[in-house]
Structures are given as C-alpha cells and as structure tokens.
Amino acid sequence: MIKSFIKIEGLVVFLASIYLYYSNHFSWLLFLILLLVPDISMVGYFINKKVGANIYNVFHSYSIPIVLYVIGMMVSVQTLVMVSLIWIAHIGMDRLLGYGLKYDSDFKDTHIQRI
C-alpha cells in the first residue's frame, strides 16, 4: 500500500510540475534535455556507497528544488523557476517509476523497495 501511495504521489507531483512548466511557457526542448540531469548525482557511487547514497539523496529530495522554486517566484527569476520545475518533475517521475531515496547499503536499496 505504501509503495502504491508513493507512486501515486510521484505521478501527482510529476503532472503538477509539468502543468506549472506549461503555464509558464518554458521551452519543452530544455525540459527534455534537462529532465535526467539530476541522475548525474550517481557519480558519487564511484567514491563509495555511502557518499553515493548521500549525494544521490540530496539531488532526489524535494526540499532543495521547492525552496529554489519559491525563491525564483519571489524574486521573479524565471530561469530558477524553470530549472526547479524540471528538477521536481524528475523526482516525481522517479517516484512514479519506483525509484526512491537510497540507503548506503546498496544502490538498489531504496525507501520504496529493493530494485
């Protein structure tokens, strides 16, 4: 049940961020180009599992992109709003697909499931 809830939540976040992106008339080409950029955070796994999990989790937590979105809206910096919406969409997409925050025991150990 919890896994299904997290996937549904990911779908809602993914669709909401796409709607906000669309509402702001941002470039869809940039959306497609930047959508997978947060996955670059997996390079931390070249150091070790603990560093890899920590870096991955920083880039796959909603906290930073939501704060950046709010700041972007407050100071009217459209680039910041655009990047944060793409970042939020990425995280929502990952949750929808069953990818979660990582435990440092293994890349496949997540807060949702073992991949």
Side-chain angles (χ1 to χ4, degrees):
M1 181 69 182
I2 293 173
K3 184 166 52 170
S4 296
F5 179 77
I6 291 173
K7 287 182 175 188
I8 292 168
E9 179 184 61
L11 175 63
V12 170
V13 168
F14 182 63
L15 293 176
S17 58
I18 287 175
Y19 174 75
L20 291 170
Y21 193 87
Y22 168 80
S23 297
N24 283 284
H25 307 287
F26 294 135
S27 165
W28 288 106
L29 179 61
L30 278 175
F31 183 88
L32 293 174
I33 291 170
L34 298 176
L35 185 60
L36 298 178
V37 167
D39 284 337
I40 292 173
S41 63
M42 287 187 274
V43 299
Y45 279 94
F46 288 122
I47 298 170
N48 64 45
K49 290 177 186 176
K50 184 174 182 172
V51 171
N54 287 331
I55 292 172
Y56 182 91
N57 291 342
V58 165
F59 284 90
H60 286 82
S61 171
Y62 289 115
S63 303
I64 296 172
I66 288 173
V67 167
L68 293 177
Y69 176 79
V70 170
I71 292 169
M73 293 297 288
M74 289 173 54
V75 298
S76 297
V77 177
Q78 293 301 302
T79 303
L80 194 53
V81 172
M82 180 187 68
V83 168
S84 63
L85 286 172
I86 295 170
W87 193 351
I88 292 166
H90 174 88
I91 297 168
M93 179 183 68
D94 272 6
R95 298 293 191 280
L96 172 62
L97 296 174
Y99 298 107
L101 298 174
K102 309 295 185 192
Y103 291 108
D104 60 11
S105 56
D106 191 67
F107 180 78
K108 296 180 180 183
D109 294 336
T110 74
H111 81 290
I112 300 173
Q113 66 183 1
R114 180 154 171 85
I115 301 171

